[in-house]
């Protein structure tokens, strides 16, 4: 097993090296043939370039090559410098549009946690009831099948109109996208508990509440954790898009704000941070799922 892990790590490192090398080669500066000196720009042309976010030549009073932003795709070294710069001061706060990555991540994780916990409070008890009652399953299944495919972002206009608070609307969107995988997996896990175990509990005259916590819950826990893991992945995916729409503070707004500032380096940095945080969240749920999984 250790040898397989070592081989997998080596293959991953090799793939990473190949990707970085290809990225570096693709962003190398290309030599251009010498051209004749261009005529000086008019004031209207300079103003147009500034409005379009394009660099103004230094000869016309614009930024020098050493100070202006790169107008090409950033190299791995530039993105690495962005990681160092952003992570060296993650909690600074210079106003609404200039906050450190730590504050942005904290705001996003707080919204995800609030919506996710609310979804757990609704989905797991309701999933238990649906899994234990064929009548409830048949009665609620049409509603679940209709509501489940709706994109969470489609609810955002209604949330903003009724709640009138962008941050709480983000929490509501996380709740909507998290509730369905947990609800469906909980109901499936509870309904799939072995009849033999339930019959033994009935023979021993175990009370319903005790049977739910000591027989059904341990048996259904792996399936419930699977739904919770899927829900967390979807929630972290949706919060980025939701924050791009509503603005404020958060990792999604950070991405959109840096794009408006034409800083592709910080956009790629934020994409990397989103991926790393998502991987850590998934790894935590995978560990929890492994802890409650048993072998027959």
């Amino acid at each position: 097993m250790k040898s397989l892990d070592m081989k997998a790590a080596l293959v991953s490192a090799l793939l990473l090296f190949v990707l970085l090398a290809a990225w570096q080669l693709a962003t190398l500066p290309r030599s251009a043939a010498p051209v004749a000196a261009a005529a000086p720009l008019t004031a209207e042309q300079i103003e147009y370039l500034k409005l379009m976010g394009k660099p103004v030549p230094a000869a016309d009073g614009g930024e020098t090559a050493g100070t202006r932003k790169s107008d090409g795709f950033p190299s791995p070294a530039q993105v690495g410098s962005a990681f160092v710069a952003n992570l060296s001061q993650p909690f600074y706060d210079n106003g609404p549009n200039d906050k450190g990555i730590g504050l942005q991540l904290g705001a996003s994780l707080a919204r995800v946690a609030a919506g996710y916990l609310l979804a757990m409070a609704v989905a797991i008890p309701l999933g238990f009831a649906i899994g234990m009652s064929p009548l409830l399953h048949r009665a609620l299944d049409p509603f679940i099948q209709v509501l489940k495919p709706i994109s969470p972002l489609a609810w955002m206009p209604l949330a903003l109109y009724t709640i009138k608070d962008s941050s709480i609307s983000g929490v509501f969107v996380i709740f909507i996208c998290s509730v369905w995988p947990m609800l469906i997996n909980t109901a499936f896990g509870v309904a799939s508990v072995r009849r033999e175990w339930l019959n033994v509990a009935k023979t021993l005259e175990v009370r319903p509440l005790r049977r739910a916590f000591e027989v059904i819950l341990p048996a259904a826990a792996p399936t419930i954790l699977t739904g919770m893991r899927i829900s967390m992945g979807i929630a972290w995916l949706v919060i980025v898009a939701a924050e791009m729409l509503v603005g404020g503070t958060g990792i999604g707004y950070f991405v959109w704000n840096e794009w408006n500032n034409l800083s592709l380096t910080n956009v790629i940095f934020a994409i990397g941070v989103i991926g790393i945080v998502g991987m850590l969240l998934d790894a935590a749920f995978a560990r929890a799922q492994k802890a409650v999984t048993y072998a027959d």
Side-chain angles (χ1 to χ4, degrees):
M1 189 66 179
K2 289 184 178 179
S3 132
L4 181 61
D5 291 340
M6 285 293 296
K7 289 179 181 177
L10 287 174
V11 172
S12 296
L14 180 61
L15 288 174
L16 178 61
F17 175 78
V18 170
L19 289 173
L20 290 176
W23 181 4
Q24 179 64 34
L25 289 174
T27 54
L28 285 176
R30 294 176 175 82
S31 58
V35 295
L41 299 177
T42 65
E44 291 80 6
Q45 290 173 323
I46 293 173
E47 186 65 25
Y48 176 76
L49 288 176
K50 289 180 178 179
L51 286 174
M52 296 300 294
K54 296 181 179 180
V56 179
D60 294 291
E63 298 171 310
T64 63
T67 59
R68 71 168 180 257
K69 292 178 183 178
S70 172
D71 55 356
F73 199 84
S75 67
Q78 291 173 317
V79 175
S81 299
F83 267 88
V84 173
N86 283 288
L87 295 179
S88 60
Q89 291 183 320
F91 299 107
Y92 75 87
D93 187 354
N94 294 332
N97 294 326
D98 190 11
K99 298 179 186 290
I101 191 65
L103 296 178
Q104 307 281 10
L105 271 178
S108 296
L109 288 171
R111 291 189 186 103
V112 168
Y116 188 83
L117 291 174
L118 186 59
M120 280 181 60
V122 172
I124 294 179
L126 185 57
F128 257 84
I130 293 173
M132 296 174 70
S133 170
L135 174 62
L136 271 180
H137 180 271
R138 293 193 177 189
L140 296 179
D141 186 64
F143 297 96
I144 295 172
Q145 297 306 322
V146 168
L147 295 173
K148 182 182 66 172
I150 300 174
S151 169
L153 296 179
W155 295 97
M156 181 62 79
L158 292 178
L160 289 172
Y161 179 78
T162 54
I163 301 174
K164 295 180 174 58
D165 184 283
S166 60
S167 184
I168 299 177
S169 297
V171 172
F172 173 77
V173 168
I174 296 302
F175 164 78
I176 285 292
C177 74
S178 301
V179 72
W180 307 119
M182 272 193 276
L183 176 64
I184 293 169
N185 277 268
T186 301
F188 176 76
V190 170
S192 301
V193 175
R194 290 185 177 180
R195 296 295 106 186
E196 297 90 343
W197 298 346
L198 297 176
N199 290 336
V200 169
K202 187 180 295 185
T203 302
L204 296 175
E205 298 182 353
V206 177
R207 293 182 179 179
L209 189 62
R210 185 181 177 188
R211 183 171 71 244
F213 279 97
E214 296 187 8
V215 179
I216 298 174
L217 180 59
T223 309
I224 295 173
L225 261 295
T226 299
M228 294 173 66
R229 185 179 179 183
I230 295 171
S231 291
M232 178 54 71
I234 296 173
W236 186 241
L237 184 75
V238 167
I239 191 61
V240 175
E243 288 172 344
M244 285 184 178
L245 291 176
V246 301
T249 305
I251 190 66
Y253 178 69
F254 178 82
V255 173
W256 190 247
N257 192 47
E258 292 305 318
W259 163 245
N260 289 330
N261 292 334
L262 301 178
S263 178
L264 286 181
T265 306
N266 280 337
V267 170
I268 296 173
F269 159 74
I271 291 171
V273 170
I274 291 167
I276 291 169
V277 173
M279 180 186 68
L280 294 176
L281 291 172
D282 185 75
F285 276 93
R287 186 176 290 272
Q289 187 179 3
K290 186 177 180 181
V292 300
T293 302
Y294 53 90
D296 289 332

